[in-house]
Amino acid sequence: MENIKFNLPDFNYTEYDWIQEDNVTILDRASEFEQQNLRYIEAGYNHDNSMYYRAFEVEDAVHNFCRTLFDGYSVGILKQPPGQTLPSHEDTFYKFAKINNVDPYECCRVNIFLEDWTSGHYFEINDTPVLQWKRGDAIIIERDELHLSGNMGMQTKYTMQVTGVKNELKRR
C-alpha cells in the first residue's frame, strides 16, 4: 500500500451517467473474481447490500488528469450510496490486462478520494483502516492487496479509480 496526494481538477462527477453494479453478480469476470463473489453470497451479501454505481464516460478534465498518471489507463468513478459495502477483495485487473495485453500482476490501481472523509465512510487495505482522508488523497492498490469499502454514513461516497501498468505510473 502506498499513499499519495493529488491536486484534482474541478469536474462534475455527481452528474455522470451511472451503471449499477454489485459484488455478487458473476458475469464476464475473471475466475478469481467469480470465486470471491461466491464467498460473498455464502456470507450473506446480496444485490441489496453490495450495490454501487460506476461511470466510465467522464469529461476531458478527468482524462487530462489521468494522463498525468499513466500514458495508457482506464478510469472509472464509483458512487457508493449509504448502507452499501464492497466486501474484502483483490482487484484482478482482468479487463485492463486483457485489453492491453499485459500481465495482471504488472497492473495497479490508483484509488482517489473525491471528497473529504465524513463519518461512516470507510476504506481498508491489507487490514489497515484508512480514515480522515482529504479530497485528492489516494491509495495505490496492487494485484494481491486485499481491500474493502463501506458506507455506513449518511452521504454518498465518491472515489475515482485509475488503472494502468505500475512501472509506468508517473508520481507527481
Side-chain angles (χ1 to χ4, degrees):
M1 171 183 78
E2 180 181 348
N3 298 320
I4 51 180
K5 172 76 173 165
F6 297 110
N7 290 318
L8 295 176
D10 290 328
F11 60 100
N12 195 9
Y13 53 87
T14 62
E15 300 299 320
Y16 287 147
D17 291 327
W18 299 102
I19 299 166
Q20 186 176 343
E21 297 183 4
D22 61 59
N23 273 70
V24 296
T25 302
I26 301 172
L27 178 64
D28 189 32
R29 298 188 178 177
S31 61
E32 299 96 337
F33 205 72
E34 291 175 5
Q35 294 305 312
Q36 289 181 139
N37 289 4
L38 291 172
R39 288 193 306 273
Y40 303 151
I41 293 166
E42 289 173 4
Y45 288 99
N46 57 54
H47 172 76
D48 295 327
N49 63 19
S50 70
M51 185 265 304
Y52 57 96
Y53 297 91
R54 192 181 321 237
F56 295 104
E57 300 294 323
V58 298
E59 58 205 89
D60 288 342
V62 174
H63 286 293
N64 291 337
F65 169 77
C66 292
R67 285 196 241 357
T68 69
L69 301 179
F70 300 100
D71 289 330
Y73 64 89
S74 69
V75 60
I77 308 294
L78 270 68
K79 172 179 156 179
Q80 189 175 35
Q84 300 300 312
T85 303
L86 284 106
S88 183
H89 65 282
E90 295 176 6
D91 292 342
T92 64
F93 308 118
Y94 171 72
K95 287 185 182 179
F96 182 86
K98 184 176 179 182
I99 290 169
N100 292 281
N101 195 31
V102 295
D103 184 332
Y105 285 91
E106 295 175 8
C107 300
C108 71
R109 179 161 290 147
V110 182
N111 184 74
I112 306 166
F113 300 103
L114 296 180
E115 297 178 346
D116 290 352
W117 177 87
T118 62
S119 178
H121 289 188
Y122 188 77
F123 184 82
E124 181 180 298
I125 184 165
N126 299 326
D127 297 324
T128 302
V130 178
L131 302 169
Q132 305 291 327
W133 58 76
K134 297 290 184 191
R135 182 179 195 275
D137 286 352
I139 305 290
I140 297 176
I141 304 169
E142 295 195 26
R143 173 65 171 80
D144 286 329
E145 293 188 297
L146 283 172
H147 58 283
L148 58 89
S149 174
N151 185 351
M152 291 76 61
M154 299 300 288
Q155 299 173 352
T156 300
K157 179 169 154 270
Y158 293 94
T159 56
M160 176 167 44
Q161 296 183 334
V162 186
T163 304
V165 177
K166 64 183 164 186
N167 69 358
E168 297 174 5
L169 176 61
K170 306 170 195 173
R171 290 177 173 79
R172 302 190 309 173

PDB file of all heavy atoms in Angstrom, residues 125-150:
ATOM      1  N   ILE A 125      -7.273  -1.436   3.541  1.00  0.00           N
ATOM      2  CA  ILE A 125      -6.395  -2.177   2.648  1.00  0.00           C
ATOM      3  C   ILE A 125      -5.366  -2.919   3.496  1.00  0.00           C
ATOM      4  O   ILE A 125      -4.806  -2.349   4.441  1.00  0.00           O
ATOM      5  CB  ILE A 125      -5.726  -1.252   1.608  1.00  0.00           C
ATOM      6  CG1 ILE A 125      -4.872  -2.070   0.623  1.00  0.00           C
ATOM      7  CG2 ILE A 125      -4.951  -0.122   2.250  1.00  0.00           C
ATOM      8  CD1 ILE A 125      -4.469  -1.308  -0.625  1.00  0.00           C
ATOM      9  N   ASN A 126      -5.164  -4.181   3.197  1.00  0.00           N
ATOM     10  CA  ASN A 126      -4.220  -5.024   3.937  1.00  0.00           C
ATOM     11  C   ASN A 126      -4.465  -4.935   5.442  1.00  0.00           C
ATOM     12  O   ASN A 126      -3.527  -4.780   6.227  1.00  0.00           O
ATOM     13  CB  ASN A 126      -2.778  -4.644   3.600  1.00  0.00           C
ATOM     14  CG  ASN A 126      -2.466  -4.823   2.130  1.00  0.00           C
ATOM     15  OD1 ASN A 126      -2.987  -5.721   1.486  1.00  0.00           O
ATOM     16  ND2 ASN A 126      -1.633  -3.952   1.592  1.00  0.00           N
ATOM     17  N   ASP A 127      -5.719  -5.016   5.857  1.00  0.00           N
ATOM     18  CA  ASP A 127      -6.133  -4.970   7.267  1.00  0.00           C
ATOM     19  C   ASP A 127      -5.833  -3.635   7.948  1.00  0.00           C
ATOM     20  O   ASP A 127      -5.833  -3.553   9.176  1.00  0.00           O
ATOM     21  CB  ASP A 127      -5.497  -6.116   8.078  1.00  0.00           C
ATOM     22  CG  ASP A 127      -5.933  -7.482   7.587  1.00  0.00           C
ATOM     23  OD1 ASP A 127      -7.103  -7.619   7.182  1.00  0.00           O
ATOM     24  OD2 ASP A 127      -5.105  -8.414   7.613  1.00  0.00           O
ATOM     25  N   THR A 128      -5.577  -2.584   7.179  1.00  0.00           N
ATOM     26  CA  THR A 128      -5.289  -1.270   7.734  1.00  0.00           C
ATOM     27  C   THR A 128      -6.404  -0.300   7.363  1.00  0.00           C
ATOM     28  O   THR A 128      -6.616  -0.026   6.171  1.00  0.00           O
ATOM     29  CB  THR A 128      -3.938  -0.732   7.197  1.00  0.00           C
ATOM     30  OG1 THR A 128      -2.911  -1.664   7.534  1.00  0.00           O
ATOM     31  CG2 THR A 128      -3.616   0.626   7.776  1.00  0.00           C
ATOM     32  N   PRO A 129      -7.122   0.231   8.360  1.00  0.00           N
ATOM     33  CA  PRO A 129      -8.165   1.217   8.054  1.00  0.00           C
ATOM     34  C   PRO A 129      -7.578   2.515   7.505  1.00  0.00           C
ATOM     35  O   PRO A 129      -6.494   2.939   7.912  1.00  0.00           O
ATOM     36  CB  PRO A 129      -8.818   1.484   9.410  1.00  0.00           C
ATOM     37  CG  PRO A 129      -8.393   0.358  10.284  1.00  0.00           C
ATOM     38  CD  PRO A 129      -7.073  -0.108   9.774  1.00  0.00           C
ATOM     39  N   VAL A 130      -8.295   3.111   6.572  1.00  0.00           N
ATOM     40  CA  VAL A 130      -7.943   4.426   6.033  1.00  0.00           C
ATOM     41  C   VAL A 130      -9.132   5.331   6.334  1.00  0.00           C
ATOM     42  O   VAL A 130     -10.238   5.094   5.861  1.00  0.00           O
ATOM     43  CB  VAL A 130      -7.677   4.360   4.517  1.00  0.00           C
ATOM     44  CG1 VAL A 130      -7.357   5.743   3.960  1.00  0.00           C
ATOM     45  CG2 VAL A 130      -6.560   3.371   4.208  1.00  0.00           C
ATOM     46  N   LEU A 131      -8.884   6.363   7.140  1.00  0.00           N
ATOM     47  CA  LEU A 131      -9.937   7.292   7.558  1.00  0.00           C
ATOM     48  C   LEU A 131      -9.397   8.716   7.481  1.00  0.00           C
ATOM     49  O   LEU A 131      -8.208   8.926   7.293  1.00  0.00           O
ATOM     50  CB  LEU A 131     -10.387   6.988   8.989  1.00  0.00           C
ATOM     51  CG  LEU A 131     -10.919   5.582   9.256  1.00  0.00           C
ATOM     52  CD1 LEU A 131     -11.061   5.349  10.753  1.00  0.00           C
ATOM     53  CD2 LEU A 131     -12.258   5.392   8.558  1.00  0.00           C
ATOM     54  N   GLN A 132     -10.274   9.668   7.650  1.00  0.00           N
ATOM     55  CA  GLN A 132      -9.898  11.084   7.726  1.00  0.00           C
ATOM     56  C   GLN A 132      -9.205  11.585   6.452  1.00  0.00           C
ATOM     57  O   GLN A 132      -8.418  12.518   6.508  1.00  0.00           O
ATOM     58  CB  GLN A 132      -9.013  11.349   8.952  1.00  0.00           C
ATOM     59  CG  GLN A 132      -9.586  10.913  10.268  1.00  0.00           C
ATOM     60  CD  GLN A 132     -10.792  11.744  10.706  1.00  0.00           C
ATOM     61  OE1 GLN A 132     -10.869  12.925  10.421  1.00  0.00           O
ATOM     62  NE2 GLN A 132     -11.719  11.114  11.402  1.00  0.00           N
ATOM     63  N   TRP A 133      -9.504  10.978   5.302  1.00  0.00           N
ATOM     64  CA  TRP A 133      -8.868  11.417   4.072  1.00  0.00           C
ATOM     65  C   TRP A 133      -9.402  12.779   3.648  1.00  0.00           C
ATOM     66  O   TRP A 133     -10.462  13.221   4.080  1.00  0.00           O
ATOM     67  CB  TRP A 133      -9.049  10.399   2.953  1.00  0.00           C
ATOM     68  CG  TRP A 133     -10.493  10.092   2.623  1.00  0.00           C
ATOM     69  CD1 TRP A 133     -11.360  10.881   1.910  1.00  0.00           C
ATOM     70  CD2 TRP A 133     -11.211   8.919   2.970  1.00  0.00           C
ATOM     71  NE1 TRP A 133     -12.578  10.272   1.805  1.00  0.00           N
ATOM     72  CE2 TRP A 133     -12.522   9.058   2.451  1.00  0.00           C
ATOM     73  CE3 TRP A 133     -10.889   7.756   3.668  1.00  0.00           C
ATOM     74  CZ2 TRP A 133     -13.498   8.082   2.607  1.00  0.00           C
ATOM     75  CZ3 TRP A 133     -11.867   6.795   3.825  1.00  0.00           C
ATOM     76  CH2 TRP A 133     -13.148   6.956   3.303  1.00  0.00           C
ATOM     77  N   LYS A 134      -8.635  13.404   2.797  1.00  0.00           N
ATOM     78  CA  LYS A 134      -8.999  14.674   2.179  1.00  0.00           C
ATOM     79  C   LYS A 134      -9.162  14.446   0.680  1.00  0.00           C
ATOM     80  O   LYS A 134      -8.595  13.500   0.114  1.00  0.00           O
ATOM     81  CB  LYS A 134      -7.921  15.738   2.406  1.00  0.00           C
ATOM     82  CG  LYS A 134      -7.714  16.098   3.858  1.00  0.00           C
ATOM     83  CD  LYS A 134      -8.900  16.849   4.383  1.00  0.00           C
ATOM     84  CE  LYS A 134      -8.671  17.312   5.815  1.00  0.00           C
ATOM     85  NZ  LYS A 134      -9.896  17.799   6.422  1.00  0.00           N
ATOM     86  N   ARG A 135      -9.914  15.330   0.035  1.00  0.00           N
ATOM     87  CA  ARG A 135     -10.081  15.263  -1.416  1.00  0.00           C
ATOM     88  C   ARG A 135      -8.695  15.228  -2.064  1.00  0.00           C
ATOM     89  O   ARG A 135      -7.826  16.029  -1.738  1.00  0.00           O
ATOM     90  CB  ARG A 135     -10.849  16.477  -1.905  1.00  0.00           C
ATOM     91  CG  ARG A 135     -11.120  16.473  -3.389  1.00  0.00           C
ATOM     92  CD  ARG A 135     -11.914  17.717  -3.792  1.00  0.00           C
ATOM     93  NE  ARG A 135     -12.476  17.581  -5.110  1.00  0.00           N
ATOM     94  CZ  ARG A 135     -11.824  17.851  -6.245  1.00  0.00           C
ATOM     95  NH1 ARG A 135     -10.579  18.272  -6.210  1.00  0.00           N
ATOM     96  NH2 ARG A 135     -12.436  17.698  -7.404  1.00  0.00           N
ATOM     97  N   GLY A 136      -8.488  14.253  -2.949  1.00  0.00           N
ATOM     98  CA  GLY A 136      -7.211  14.117  -3.643  1.00  0.00           C
ATOM     99  C   GLY A 136      -6.265  13.117  -3.010  1.00  0.00           C
ATOM    100  O   GLY A 136      -5.277  12.737  -3.627  1.00  0.00           O
ATOM    101  N   ASP A 137      -6.545  12.681  -1.768  1.00  0.00           N
ATOM    102  CA  ASP A 137      -5.735  11.616  -1.176  1.00  0.00           C
ATOM    103  C   ASP A 137      -5.975  10.331  -1.970  1.00  0.00           C
ATOM    104  O   ASP A 137      -7.091  10.083  -2.447  1.00  0.00           O
ATOM    105  CB  ASP A 137      -6.100  11.382   0.290  1.00  0.00           C
ATOM    106  CG  ASP A 137      -5.601  12.480   1.213  1.00  0.00           C
ATOM    107  OD1 ASP A 137      -4.835  13.351   0.756  1.00  0.00           O
ATOM    108  OD2 ASP A 137      -5.985  12.460   2.397  1.00  0.00           O
ATOM    109  N   ALA A 138      -4.934   9.537  -2.099  1.00  0.00           N
ATOM    110  CA  ALA A 138      -5.044   8.340  -2.931  1.00  0.00           C
ATOM    111  C   ALA A 138      -4.269   7.182  -2.326  1.00  0.00           C
ATOM    112  O   ALA A 138      -3.299   7.377  -1.605  1.00  0.00           O
ATOM    113  CB  ALA A 138      -4.517   8.636  -4.336  1.00  0.00           C
ATOM    114  N   ILE A 139      -4.715   5.992  -2.655  1.00  0.00           N
ATOM    115  CA  ILE A 139      -4.072   4.744  -2.262  1.00  0.00           C
ATOM    116  C   ILE A 139      -3.761   3.981  -3.543  1.00  0.00           C
ATOM    117  O   ILE A 139      -4.627   3.805  -4.401  1.00  0.00           O
ATOM    118  CB  ILE A 139      -5.017   3.866  -1.391  1.00  0.00           C
ATOM    119  CG1 ILE A 139      -5.523   4.618  -0.181  1.00  0.00           C
ATOM    120  CG2 ILE A 139      -4.354   2.552  -1.034  1.00  0.00           C
ATOM    121  CD1 ILE A 139      -4.498   4.892   0.871  1.00  0.00           C
ATOM    122  N   ILE A 140      -2.534   3.508  -3.675  1.00  0.00           N
ATOM    123  CA  ILE A 140      -2.186   2.656  -4.812  1.00  0.00           C
ATOM    124  C   ILE A 140      -2.438   1.206  -4.411  1.00  0.00           C
ATOM    125  O   ILE A 140      -1.938   0.747  -3.387  1.00  0.00           O
ATOM    126  CB  ILE A 140      -0.723   2.861  -5.236  1.00  0.00           C
ATOM    127  CG1 ILE A 140      -0.525   4.302  -5.705  1.00  0.00           C
ATOM    128  CG2 ILE A 140      -0.346   1.865  -6.349  1.00  0.00           C
ATOM    129  CD1 ILE A 140       0.893   4.643  -6.055  1.00  0.00           C
ATOM    130  N   ILE A 141      -3.232   0.519  -5.223  1.00  0.00           N
ATOM    131  CA  ILE A 141      -3.613  -0.864  -4.952  1.00  0.00           C
ATOM    132  C   ILE A 141      -2.956  -1.763  -5.991  1.00  0.00           C
ATOM    133  O   ILE A 141      -3.127  -1.559  -7.194  1.00  0.00           O
ATOM    134  CB  ILE A 141      -5.147  -1.026  -5.012  1.00  0.00           C
ATOM    135  CG1 ILE A 141      -5.836  -0.060  -4.051  1.00  0.00           C
ATOM    136  CG2 ILE A 141      -5.535  -2.475  -4.718  1.00  0.00           C
ATOM    137  CD1 ILE A 141      -7.336   0.028  -4.247  1.00  0.00           C
ATOM    138  N   GLU A 142      -2.224  -2.761  -5.505  1.00  0.00           N
ATOM    139  CA  GLU A 142      -1.601  -3.724  -6.409  1.00  0.00           C
ATOM    140  C   GLU A 142      -2.409  -5.017  -6.425  1.00  0.00           C
ATOM    141  O   GLU A 142      -3.347  -5.193  -5.658  1.00  0.00           O
ATOM    142  CB  GLU A 142      -0.146  -3.946  -5.999  1.00  0.00           C
ATOM    143  CG  GLU A 142       0.661  -2.670  -6.171  1.00  0.00           C
ATOM    144  CD  GLU A 142       2.149  -2.881  -6.130  1.00  0.00           C
ATOM    145  OE1 GLU A 142       2.614  -3.987  -6.449  1.00  0.00           O
ATOM    146  OE2 GLU A 142       2.852  -1.916  -5.770  1.00  0.00           O
ATOM    147  N   ARG A 143      -2.031  -5.950  -7.257  1.00  0.00           N
ATOM    148  CA  ARG A 143      -2.810  -7.157  -7.569  1.00  0.00           C
ATOM    149  C   ARG A 143      -3.177  -7.990  -6.344  1.00  0.00           C
ATOM    150  O   ARG A 143      -4.299  -8.427  -6.232  1.00  0.00           O
ATOM    151  CB  ARG A 143      -2.029  -8.002  -8.591  1.00  0.00           C
ATOM    152  CG  ARG A 143      -2.613  -9.362  -8.911  1.00  0.00           C
ATOM    153  CD  ARG A 143      -3.962  -9.238  -9.590  1.00  0.00           C
ATOM    154  NE  ARG A 143      -4.448 -10.486 -10.078  1.00  0.00           N
ATOM    155  CZ  ARG A 143      -5.036 -11.435  -9.359  1.00  0.00           C
ATOM    156  NH1 ARG A 143      -5.188 -11.286  -8.070  1.00  0.00           N
ATOM    157  NH2 ARG A 143      -5.457 -12.537  -9.910  1.00  0.00           N
ATOM    158  N   ASP A 144      -2.309  -8.227  -5.407  1.00  0.00           N
ATOM    159  CA  ASP A 144      -2.608  -9.137  -4.299  1.00  0.00           C
ATOM    160  C   ASP A 144      -3.009  -8.421  -3.013  1.00  0.00           C
ATOM    161  O   ASP A 144      -2.938  -9.021  -1.946  1.00  0.00           O
ATOM    162  CB  ASP A 144      -1.396 -10.033  -4.016  1.00  0.00           C
ATOM    163  CG  ASP A 144      -1.230 -11.096  -5.088  1.00  0.00           C
ATOM    164  OD1 ASP A 144      -2.241 -11.545  -5.658  1.00  0.00           O
ATOM    165  OD2 ASP A 144      -0.081 -11.478  -5.365  1.00  0.00           O
ATOM    166  N   GLU A 145      -3.432  -7.175  -3.093  1.00  0.00           N
ATOM    167  CA  GLU A 145      -3.752  -6.434  -1.881  1.00  0.00           C
ATOM    168  C   GLU A 145      -5.252  -6.472  -1.601  1.00  0.00           C
ATOM    169  O   GLU A 145      -6.056  -5.938  -2.371  1.00  0.00           O
ATOM    170  CB  GLU A 145      -3.255  -4.993  -1.999  1.00  0.00           C
ATOM    171  CG  GLU A 145      -1.738  -4.938  -2.026  1.00  0.00           C
ATOM    172  CD  GLU A 145      -1.216  -3.531  -1.939  1.00  0.00           C
ATOM    173  OE1 GLU A 145      -1.506  -2.737  -2.858  1.00  0.00           O
ATOM    174  OE2 GLU A 145      -0.508  -3.232  -0.952  1.00  0.00           O
ATOM    175  N   LEU A 146      -5.590  -7.120  -0.479  1.00  0.00           N
ATOM    176  CA  LEU A 146      -6.988  -7.171  -0.053  1.00  0.00           C
ATOM    177  C   LEU A 146      -7.435  -5.790   0.407  1.00  0.00           C
ATOM    178  O   LEU A 146      -6.729  -5.114   1.150  1.00  0.00           O
ATOM    179  CB  LEU A 146      -7.159  -8.160   1.098  1.00  0.00           C
ATOM    180  CG  LEU A 146      -7.157  -9.627   0.732  1.00  0.00           C
ATOM    181  CD1 LEU A 146      -7.146 -10.480   2.009  1.00  0.00           C
ATOM    182  CD2 LEU A 146      -8.370  -9.971  -0.122  1.00  0.00           C
ATOM    183  N   HIS A 147      -8.615  -5.393  -0.050  1.00  0.00           N
ATOM    184  CA  HIS A 147      -9.169  -4.110   0.370  1.00  0.00           C
ATOM    185  C   HIS A 147     -10.687  -4.191   0.343  1.00  0.00           C
ATOM    186  O   HIS A 147     -11.275  -5.089  -0.253  1.00  0.00           O
ATOM    187  CB  HIS A 147      -8.646  -2.972  -0.502  1.00  0.00           C
ATOM    188  CG  HIS A 147      -8.928  -3.136  -1.965  1.00  0.00           C
ATOM    189  ND1 HIS A 147      -8.207  -3.996  -2.763  1.00  0.00           N
ATOM    190  CD2 HIS A 147      -9.853  -2.547  -2.767  1.00  0.00           C
ATOM    191  CE1 HIS A 147      -8.684  -3.935  -4.000  1.00  0.00           C
ATOM    192  NE2 HIS A 147      -9.682  -3.065  -4.020  1.00  0.00           N
ATOM    193  N   LEU A 148     -11.305  -3.256   1.047  1.00  0.00           N
ATOM    194  CA  LEU A 148     -12.758  -3.199   1.109  1.00  0.00           C
ATOM    195  C   LEU A 148     -13.193  -1.761   1.275  1.00  0.00           C
ATOM    196  O   LEU A 148     -12.399  -0.884   1.611  1.00  0.00           O
ATOM    197  CB  LEU A 148     -13.305  -4.072   2.241  1.00  0.00           C
ATOM    198  CG  LEU A 148     -12.839  -3.789   3.670  1.00  0.00           C
ATOM    199  CD1 LEU A 148     -13.723  -2.764   4.342  1.00  0.00           C
ATOM    200  CD2 LEU A 148     -12.861  -5.083   4.457  1.00  0.00           C
ATOM    201  N   SER A 149     -14.477  -1.530   1.042  1.00  0.00           N
ATOM    202  CA  SER A 149     -15.021  -0.185   1.133  1.00  0.00           C
ATOM    203  C   SER A 149     -16.433  -0.274   1.681  1.00  0.00           C
ATOM    204  O   SER A 149     -17.189  -1.170   1.315  1.00  0.00           O
ATOM    205  CB  SER A 149     -15.035   0.453  -0.267  1.00  0.00           C
ATOM    206  OG  SER A 149     -15.673   1.701  -0.244  1.00  0.00           O
ATOM    207  N   GLY A 150     -16.771   0.655   2.550  1.00  0.00           N
ATOM    208  CA  GLY A 150     -18.121   0.679   3.091  1.00  0.00           C
ATOM    209  C   GLY A 150     -18.618   2.089   3.279  1.00  0.00           C
ATOM    210  O   GLY A 150     -17.836   3.029   3.424  1.00  0.00           O
TER     211      GLY A 150
END
